[in-house]
Amino acid sequence: MDIGTLTIVGVGLIGGSIGLAAKRRGVARRILGVERHPSCVAYALAKGAIDESSCNLTAAVLRAEVTVFCTPVDEIAQQVLAAASVCPADNLFIDTGSTKALITRTIESAAPTARFVGGHPLAGSEKQGVEHAEADLFENKLTIVTRTASTAPDALEQATRFWQLLGSSVRVMSPEEHDAALAFTSHLPHLLASALAGILPAPLNDLTASGFRDTTRIAAGDPGLWTAIFSHNRAAVLDALAVLSGRLECLRDCLSTSDWATLHDLLLQAKKVRDALGS
Amino acid sequence: MDIGTLTIVGVGLIGGSIGLAAKRRGVARRILGVERHPSCVAYALAKGAIDESSCNLTAAVLRAEVTVFCTPVDEIAQQVLAAASVCPADNLFIDTGSTKALITRTIESAAPTARFVGGHPLAGSEKQGVEHAEADLFENKLTIVTRTASTAPDALEQATRFWQLLGSSVRVMSPEEHDAALAFTSHLPHLLASALAGILPAPLNDLTASGFRDTTRIAAGDPGLWTAIFSHNRAAVLDALAVLSGRLECLRDCLSTSDWATLHDLLLQAKKVRDALGS
């Protein structure tokens, strides 16, 4: 894959890291960044994450063979549709949103011939902004690439190759499978971390140690971005939350009835799951 | 404070770190370890966390001016009482248990004149064992030291000085205040992390990223130790769990009713709390 011009829409942590990785690995000859915040643009240019910036989405995508959208999940579909309406039919559009089903449905119903392939690199963090971007962010990480009945096989192959060239491994699944899985592995954890941080009585701030900080770390994520994610994946998150509530109910019953043998078994089963994930 | 012989009962992560810190900082001339696992003893001796080991608790505490009990919370009170029954009246007994009220009540009711001062260094981790012990584990950390109506002022002062000499700062509170606070800052987070790890569907293991791993890290803690902690602090943990359940209910209502403005406010409030804690 040799991309003449790669356009990155939204040059933050993920977009900036794509720019740096694409540069270091020679994936694209020229990188164009579409970003409305002047300070991000200046930083991205200085850091070398992009070669050139633009405020004009359609002009910037017209110059590219491949455009990757790294904007909040509630902006991606409209941006892809705007791009698809002006670009040649063979342009490839990739996104990096944390939800996939609604974005994909919206794009496919309005622009059925657009070469769009959804993606989600599992490489984020509670940090944001191009100042945290890293050229090796995707190395040894997994990117989920989504396929539907409408996805063109060569577009899927091109998108898969793109992520692999950035250092990531790739798993292909449907947008709905992605959203159901991420409800458990990312969205529910965010909700829980937020709940736990949110109820901490202020006088206890000094009595938190590394355990509390680990458990609540992702609650520092951007509330706007996360509200959009929850709105997109509402049903799957509610399902995951119901499963969690059932488990919390079991744990509460153990405490209420002093059933320490069952509590021990539940803690042990969870420890085995956690141990298997590594540090 | 110049301790001739310091006895450490239970030479794991905390006990081993106390030995290493006491050595490095010249807090005690000789350190005796009471530990039943031969492999821990061998490692602690080789690492220099203790100078000598013993399997005989009473013999070992008889040789010491200060004994620190770093055993599981359900063993501490009986060990302190056994020690107090044989030692001179001026021996100081310190513990490091994650719960304080039940341990303190048990000791004070059975041995009202024993010089016991409860303590809890907020410096643990999901790791266990002397192989993870560090001489600087307590540096820039907080140790809670507990005081009751029965605590001798000079014993409290001596215990406070002990922790400060190991590099820790000290906050004095009642055992009940400690347990109510730690229910929120440590025990409830453990329960939540365990619940979240416990419900992860096995096929999704590979789809977890750093957010899930952070949020569930402490679920790798020892189930036996944690069952004992929950048993000791049952009422306060149930209270904290009720507060959390109320918050989760609010978050669920936001999702159910698509009330994104309220969800955003709740996420923002929690983010501010988390941001204030630092990394």
PDB file of all heavy atoms in Angstrom, chain B residues 165-178:
ATOM      1  N   LEU B 165       9.294   7.202  60.340  1.00  0.00           N
ATOM      2  CA  LEU B 165      10.682   6.804  60.082  1.00  0.00           C
ATOM      3  C   LEU B 165      10.785   5.897  58.851  1.00  0.00           C
ATOM      4  O   LEU B 165      11.818   5.861  58.182  1.00  0.00           O
ATOM      5  CB  LEU B 165      11.274   6.088  61.303  1.00  0.00           C
ATOM      6  CG  LEU B 165      11.614   7.016  62.480  1.00  0.00           C
ATOM      7  CD1 LEU B 165      11.970   6.207  63.723  1.00  0.00           C
ATOM      8  CD2 LEU B 165      12.775   7.946  62.111  1.00  0.00           C
ATOM      9  N   LEU B 166       9.714   5.183  58.543  1.00  0.00           N
ATOM     10  CA  LEU B 166       9.717   4.347  57.327  1.00  0.00           C
ATOM     11  C   LEU B 166       9.424   5.175  56.082  1.00  0.00           C
ATOM     12  O   LEU B 166       9.396   4.643  54.975  1.00  0.00           O
ATOM     13  CB  LEU B 166       8.694   3.213  57.455  1.00  0.00           C
ATOM     14  CG  LEU B 166       8.906   2.191  58.575  1.00  0.00           C
ATOM     15  CD1 LEU B 166       7.901   1.047  58.451  1.00  0.00           C
ATOM     16  CD2 LEU B 166      10.328   1.615  58.555  1.00  0.00           C
ATOM     17  N   GLY B 167       9.185   6.468  56.245  1.00  0.00           N
ATOM     18  CA  GLY B 167       9.003   7.350  55.093  1.00  0.00           C
ATOM     19  C   GLY B 167       7.568   7.784  54.861  1.00  0.00           C
ATOM     20  O   GLY B 167       7.283   8.545  53.930  1.00  0.00           O
ATOM     21  N   SER B 168       6.649   7.304  55.686  1.00  0.00           N
ATOM     22  CA  SER B 168       5.224   7.574  55.469  1.00  0.00           C
ATOM     23  C   SER B 168       4.779   8.816  56.215  1.00  0.00           C
ATOM     24  O   SER B 168       5.348   9.171  57.243  1.00  0.00           O
ATOM     25  CB  SER B 168       4.435   6.356  55.975  1.00  0.00           C
ATOM     26  OG  SER B 168       3.055   6.535  55.795  1.00  0.00           O
ATOM     27  N   SER B 169       3.748   9.485  55.702  1.00  0.00           N
ATOM     28  CA  SER B 169       3.069  10.467  56.538  1.00  0.00           C
ATOM     29  C   SER B 169       1.953   9.736  57.282  1.00  0.00           C
ATOM     30  O   SER B 169       1.616   8.598  56.936  1.00  0.00           O
ATOM     31  CB  SER B 169       2.519  11.619  55.697  1.00  0.00           C
ATOM     32  OG  SER B 169       1.613  11.127  54.757  1.00  0.00           O
ATOM     33  N   VAL B 170       1.432  10.364  58.317  1.00  0.00           N
ATOM     34  CA  VAL B 170       0.496   9.682  59.209  1.00  0.00           C
ATOM     35  C   VAL B 170      -0.758  10.519  59.425  1.00  0.00           C
ATOM     36  O   VAL B 170      -0.674  11.748  59.553  1.00  0.00           O
ATOM     37  CB  VAL B 170       1.178   9.390  60.573  1.00  0.00           C
ATOM     38  CG1 VAL B 170       0.152   8.970  61.626  1.00  0.00           C
ATOM     39  CG2 VAL B 170       2.243   8.302  60.408  1.00  0.00           C
ATOM     40  N   ARG B 171      -1.905   9.889  59.382  1.00  0.00           N
ATOM     41  CA  ARG B 171      -3.164  10.517  59.771  1.00  0.00           C
ATOM     42  C   ARG B 171      -3.775   9.665  60.880  1.00  0.00           C
ATOM     43  O   ARG B 171      -3.872   8.443  60.730  1.00  0.00           O
ATOM     44  CB  ARG B 171      -4.107  10.567  58.556  1.00  0.00           C
ATOM     45  CG  ARG B 171      -5.531  11.002  58.850  1.00  0.00           C
ATOM     46  CD  ARG B 171      -5.854  12.424  58.418  1.00  0.00           C
ATOM     47  NE  ARG B 171      -5.406  12.731  57.083  1.00  0.00           N
ATOM     48  CZ  ARG B 171      -6.225  12.907  56.026  1.00  0.00           C
ATOM     49  NH1 ARG B 171      -7.533  12.779  56.167  1.00  0.00           N
ATOM     50  NH2 ARG B 171      -5.738  13.216  54.849  1.00  0.00           N
ATOM     51  N   VAL B 172      -4.173  10.315  61.975  1.00  0.00           N
ATOM     52  CA  VAL B 172      -4.766   9.584  63.106  1.00  0.00           C
ATOM     53  C   VAL B 172      -6.281   9.682  63.035  1.00  0.00           C
ATOM     54  O   VAL B 172      -6.835  10.767  62.789  1.00  0.00           O
ATOM     55  CB  VAL B 172      -4.264  10.150  64.457  1.00  0.00           C
ATOM     56  CG1 VAL B 172      -4.932   9.423  65.634  1.00  0.00           C
ATOM     57  CG2 VAL B 172      -2.740  10.018  64.550  1.00  0.00           C
ATOM     58  N   MET B 173      -6.969   8.564  63.157  1.00  0.00           N
ATOM     59  CA  MET B 173      -8.440   8.577  63.218  1.00  0.00           C
ATOM     60  C   MET B 173      -8.912   7.380  64.049  1.00  0.00           C
ATOM     61  O   MET B 173      -8.101   6.559  64.482  1.00  0.00           O
ATOM     62  CB  MET B 173      -9.049   8.565  61.822  1.00  0.00           C
ATOM     63  CG  MET B 173      -8.608   7.452  60.899  1.00  0.00           C
ATOM     64  SD  MET B 173      -9.513   7.479  59.297  1.00  0.00           S
ATOM     65  CE  MET B 173      -8.723   8.868  58.483  1.00  0.00           C
ATOM     66  N   SER B 174     -10.205   7.311  64.279  1.00  0.00           N
ATOM     67  CA  SER B 174     -10.726   6.172  65.042  1.00  0.00           C
ATOM     68  C   SER B 174     -10.814   4.957  64.128  1.00  0.00           C
ATOM     69  O   SER B 174     -10.903   5.089  62.903  1.00  0.00           O
ATOM     70  CB  SER B 174     -12.109   6.504  65.604  1.00  0.00           C
ATOM     71  OG  SER B 174     -13.072   6.462  64.567  1.00  0.00           O
ATOM     72  N   PRO B 175     -10.826   3.762  64.699  1.00  0.00           N
ATOM     73  CA  PRO B 175     -10.966   2.549  63.876  1.00  0.00           C
ATOM     74  C   PRO B 175     -12.251   2.589  63.043  1.00  0.00           C
ATOM     75  O   PRO B 175     -12.236   2.155  61.877  1.00  0.00           O
ATOM     76  CB  PRO B 175     -11.017   1.422  64.910  1.00  0.00           C
ATOM     77  CG  PRO B 175     -10.295   1.951  66.102  1.00  0.00           C
ATOM     78  CD  PRO B 175     -10.593   3.428  66.132  1.00  0.00           C
ATOM     79  N   GLU B 176     -13.320   3.113  63.607  1.00  0.00           N
ATOM     80  CA  GLU B 176     -14.599   3.153  62.872  1.00  0.00           C
ATOM     81  C   GLU B 176     -14.531   4.139  61.710  1.00  0.00           C
ATOM     82  O   GLU B 176     -15.044   3.869  60.618  1.00  0.00           O
ATOM     83  CB  GLU B 176     -15.746   3.517  63.817  1.00  0.00           C
ATOM     84  CG  GLU B 176     -16.073   2.436  64.854  1.00  0.00           C
ATOM     85  CD  GLU B 176     -15.012   2.311  65.967  1.00  0.00           C
ATOM     86  OE1 GLU B 176     -14.257   3.294  66.204  1.00  0.00           O
ATOM     87  OE2 GLU B 176     -14.939   1.233  66.578  1.00  0.00           O
ATOM     88  N   GLU B 177     -13.902   5.300  61.943  1.00  0.00           N
ATOM     89  CA  GLU B 177     -13.721   6.253  60.834  1.00  0.00           C
ATOM     90  C   GLU B 177     -12.887   5.617  59.715  1.00  0.00           C
ATOM     91  O   GLU B 177     -13.178   5.783  58.527  1.00  0.00           O
ATOM     92  CB  GLU B 177     -12.978   7.503  61.322  1.00  0.00           C
ATOM     93  CG  GLU B 177     -13.817   8.509  62.078  1.00  0.00           C
ATOM     94  CD  GLU B 177     -12.937   9.627  62.651  1.00  0.00           C
ATOM     95  OE1 GLU B 177     -11.873   9.330  63.249  1.00  0.00           O
ATOM     96  OE2 GLU B 177     -13.313  10.797  62.495  1.00  0.00           O
ATOM     97  N   HIS B 178     -11.827   4.917  60.113  1.00  0.00           N
ATOM     98  CA  HIS B 178     -10.998   4.226  59.118  1.00  0.00           C
ATOM     99  C   HIS B 178     -11.839   3.272  58.276  1.00  0.00           C
ATOM    100  O   HIS B 178     -11.785   3.288  57.041  1.00  0.00           O
ATOM    101  CB  HIS B 178      -9.873   3.447  59.799  1.00  0.00           C
ATOM    102  CG  HIS B 178      -9.175   2.500  58.874  1.00  0.00           C
ATOM    103  ND1 HIS B 178      -9.676   1.232  58.596  1.00  0.00           N
ATOM    104  CD2 HIS B 178      -8.057   2.632  58.121  1.00  0.00           C
ATOM    105  CE1 HIS B 178      -8.886   0.640  57.722  1.00  0.00           C
ATOM    106  NE2 HIS B 178      -7.891   1.465  57.425  1.00  0.00           N
TER     107      HIS B 178
END
